Amino acid sequence: MAALTVTLLALAGVSCSQASDCSYSALLNHLKLDATNSGLQIERPVKNWNTITEVQLEMILDSILDVDEKLQTVTIHIYVRMYWINEHLTWNSSEFCGINILNIPVSMIWVPDIIIQEDASETANSHDHPLVSVCPNGKVSLVKRLQLTYICKLNLFRFPFDSQTCNITFSSLNYNNDLLKLVKSTNDSVLMKLSGLKMLTEGEWKLVNMESISYTSLIQRSSLVYQITLERKPFLYVVNLILPLLFLLILDLASFFVGVSSGEKLSVQLKILLSIFILLPILKDILPSTEDSLPVMAIHCISVFTLVWINVLETMLISLLKDVVCCVGEEQQNAEVIKVKEQEADNRNESTGVSGTDKPEETNSPLDLPGDSRELKFIMDRTKPGPKTPETQKNMQKSNRLRWVQIFDSVFFVLYFATVVFTQAFLFGLWKVYV
Ligand SMILES: *[C@@H]1O[C@H](CO)[C@@H](O)[C@H](O)[C@H]1NC(C)=O
């Protein structure tokens, strides 16, 4: 083994010493790489023009910086690596002291004109790597790291439980399908794993899937599409919006058990309504006004707001009804008290003028005793069941009406409770079930 190693080392030494020059410039001379050789920069690097240049492309997601719901754009950092064969740049590494990689400025050779169709970023954002790497077999690799803002039509129906899938389409601007072909070089799952490892910041979002498809576009350009699926982390919105709304709704239900008479119930409910008003601007800041189908979140807010509003109206109606019942009763009572007093006065007049035995009531009475009739009648009046006296009758009617009002209130509460439970269940179903 030792002998073999020594022989190999000697061979390597020999091969190195055999080369005339171990500097890069010898290789550059061999490849005719200098600023004056414009052919290398202009031509697609094939010896026969019919040969298709195959550009392998891979993309790694580095960080998710921002998703703008209003502008419908996503900002990310990506690494893009492209490989292609330059048939003019080949050498035998053993002839050049084993040089097996050469880094040269991008400006010296031809590079494919690949663009991103959904790109909405300012051009200043793309930092071209100044160098490309060339291997002895002519394989050129170009790496770019860029901040990409791309257009993505966001579907916010299930906000904040939404996930967004958008395309990043790479394609050549000028070369047709039969001259330049874009293909994927690495398995999607590997790229996805690499992205997960390299991820610097994700913010509110999580990368859940990355898939690439290559196809030919309508204008005969070879294209490679990366479909990126991002999922929102909904925690912040659950804490900020959904739970407060739910708690306010529960408070609103509980307000049925607060005393109506003192006006406390109404003030509690109005406060709940105002609290919802405070929550609404958060939603306005996030959701775009151009949304065609209203997001479930907006429907949720509107439904809670409407329910609480209806509840306030009902409380007002009940308190109005109670006021009416009470006051109308009292007015009638007052009127009747006056009447009774007038009657008593009349009776006294009659009793002084005419004999009491002429009265029909007294003659009909079974206990018609001449002497004690007046006293007995008084006793009977007092022992008679309540409703016959006008005052208790009025009280009964009043409490009857009050009972109706209370029944109305209870029925409303049951209906209200059912509506609240139903709408909430329906909306949460929409959120979680539909994709
Ligand atoms: C994304 O690209 C795929 C493949 O070409 C296509 O089927 C899909 O409709 C595209 N999606 C969008 C939103 O453009």
Side-chain angles (χ1 to χ4, degrees):
M1 275 300 288
L4 188 67
T5 320
V6 168
T7 329
L8 278 176
L9 279 174
L11 274 177
V14 166
S15 75
C16 217
S17 63
Q18 266 177 352
S20 52
D21 196 351
C22 267
S23 68
Y24 281 118
S25 52
L27 182 55
L28 292 180
N29 281 337
H30 166 76
L31 299 172
K32 301 190 193 78
L33 262 173
D34 58 60
T36 54
N37 190 356
S38 54
L40 274 177
Q41 300 154 23
I42 296 168
E43 300 160 3
R44 196 164 55 86
V46 286
K47 285 176 177 155
N48 178 348
W49 78 272
N50 279 322
T51 311
I52 297 175
T53 300
E54 222 179 49
V55 178
Q56 297 183 334
L57 190 145
E58 62 191 39
M59 188 187 88
I60 292 175
L61 197 63
D62 185 30
S63 39
I64 304 163
L65 295 179
D66 185 35
V67 175
D68 194 323
E69 285 87 359
K70 283 218 183 277
L71 288 177
Q72 305 263 304
T73 59
V74 178
T75 305
I76 54 174
H77 254 149
I78 52 172
Y79 274 103
V80 180
R81 194 174 267 130
M82 288 189 277
Y83 305 97
W84 66 95
I85 299 290
N86 188 324
E87 293 181 0
H88 305 307
L89 299 181
T90 56
W91 71 94
N92 188 347
S93 73
S94 60
E95 281 174 27
F96 295 92
C97 291
I99 295 177
N100 56 16
I101 194 152
L102 183 67
N103 290 315
I104 52 171
V106 171
S107 59
M108 289 185 80
I109 59 163
W110 177 91
V111 290
D113 56 342
I114 305 297
I115 54 143
I116 296 168
Q117 285 176 8
E118 289 84 4
D119 194 355
S121 45
E122 290 148 33
T123 47
N125 279 337
S126 85
H127 309 291
D128 271 342
H129 199 289
L131 298 175
V132 289
S133 308
V134 189
C135 288
N137 61 359
K139 192 175 180 183
V140 183
S141 86
L142 170 68
V143 184
K144 280 185 192 184
R145 182 170 189 266
L146 57 141
Q147 180 178 326
L148 173 69
T149 301
Y150 65 98
I151 297 160
C152 178
K153 198 172 182 310
L154 302 168
N155 181 359
L156 292 168
F157 182 69
R158 291 179 69 233
F159 170 88
F161 301 103
D162 53 338
S163 65
Q164 307 293 346
T165 303
C166 274
N167 285 350
I168 298 180
T169 311
F170 293 91
S171 71
S172 168
L173 199 56
N174 297 293
Y175 290 101
N176 266 2
N177 186 34
D178 50 2
L179 296 177
L180 191 147
K181 208 169 189 145
L182 268 178
V183 292
K184 54 179 172 182
S185 60
T186 319
N187 204 333
D188 289 339
S189 56
V190 174
L191 288 183
M192 171 83 194
K193 233 176 231 161
L194 278 175
S195 298
L197 286 176
K198 287 212 105 188
M199 194 63 74
L200 298 173
T201 173
E202 290 186 308
E204 194 184 312
W205 295 82
K206 200 173 81 186
L207 176 70
V208 290
N209 195 24
M210 212 162 111
E211 209 176 305
S212 60
I213 308 155
S214 56
Y215 72 103
T216 306
S217 70
L218 285 176
I219 50 165
Q220 296 301 308
R221 301 284 189 269
S222 172
S223 310
L224 185 67
V225 174
Y226 274 92
Q227 271 185 336
I228 294 183
T229 306
L230 303 177
E231 197 179 77
R232 194 192 297 268
K233 298 173 187 163
F235 183 69
L236 183 71
Y237 299 99
V238 170
V239 170
N240 250 358
L241 267 178
I242 297 171
L243 281 186
L245 276 178
L246 208 60
F247 289 165
L248 285 174
L249 201 55
I250 291 168
L251 266 189
D252 192 50
L253 283 174
S255 74
F256 270 99
F257 307 109
V258 176
V260 192
S261 47
S262 55
E264 237 177 285
K265 186 175 174 182
L266 192 62
S267 86
V268 165
Q269 287 178 345
L270 281 176
K271 277 170 198 160
I272 294 170
L273 199 64
L274 286 179
S275 313
I276 294 172
F277 256 127
I278 293 167
L279 286 174
L280 288 182
I282 301 176
L283 203 64
K284 193 209 80 186
D285 287 344
I286 301 161
L287 297 178
S289 54
T290 53
E291 199 58 33
D292 303 329
S293 59
L294 219 51
V296 180
M297 188 67 230
I299 302 173
H300 180 69
C301 276
I302 293 168
S303 75
V304 170
F305 189 77
T306 312
L307 283 171
V308 173
W309 176 76
I310 288 173
N311 200 7
V312 170
L313 275 190
E314 194 264 354
T315 307
M316 285 174 170
L317 182 65
I318 290 290
S319 94
L320 177 74
L321 280 179
K322 281 193 174 165
D323 276 357
V324 166
V325 166
C326 142
C327 292
V328 165
E330 271 169 16
E331 272 167 23
Q332 279 181 352
Q333 241 177 2
N334 288 344
E336 267 147 27
V337 165
I338 290 164
K339 257 190 206 165
V340 168
K341 276 181 183 165
E342 278 172 0
Q343 267 181 1
E344 276 175 4
D346 284 352
N347 282 355
R348 237 174 276 135
N349 287 344
E350 277 171 28
S351 65
T352 49
V354 194
S355 125
T357 48
D358 287 350
K359 278 187 178 174
E361 234 180 294
E362 280 178 342
T363 48
N364 288 345
S365 171
L367 294 166
D368 201 355
L369 296 171
D372 304 315
S373 67
R374 208 164 282 265
E375 268 177 56
L376 267 172
K377 189 179 176 279
F378 178 71
I379 292 164
M380 278 172 73
D381 272 353
R382 292 196 84 178
T383 50
K384 260 183 214 164
K388 290 231 168 167
T389 63
E391 211 165 306
T392 42
Q393 215 170 340
K394 288 305 143 198
N395 270 342
M396 274 288 286
Q397 278 181 4
K398 189 177 149 187
S399 65
N400 241 356
R401 287 200 209 100
L402 271 179
R403 215 174 51 227
W404 276 113
V405 171
Q406 254 144 20
I407 286 172
F408 173 75
D409 200 18
S410 307
V411 168
F412 178 84
F413 175 70
V414 171
L415 284 180
Y416 185 76
F417 187 79
T419 313
V420 166
V421 170
F422 176 75
T423 51
Q424 295 307 302
F426 178 70
L427 289 175
F428 278 93
L430 267 189
W431 252 326
K432 289 316 274 182
V433 177
Y434 287 89
V435 180

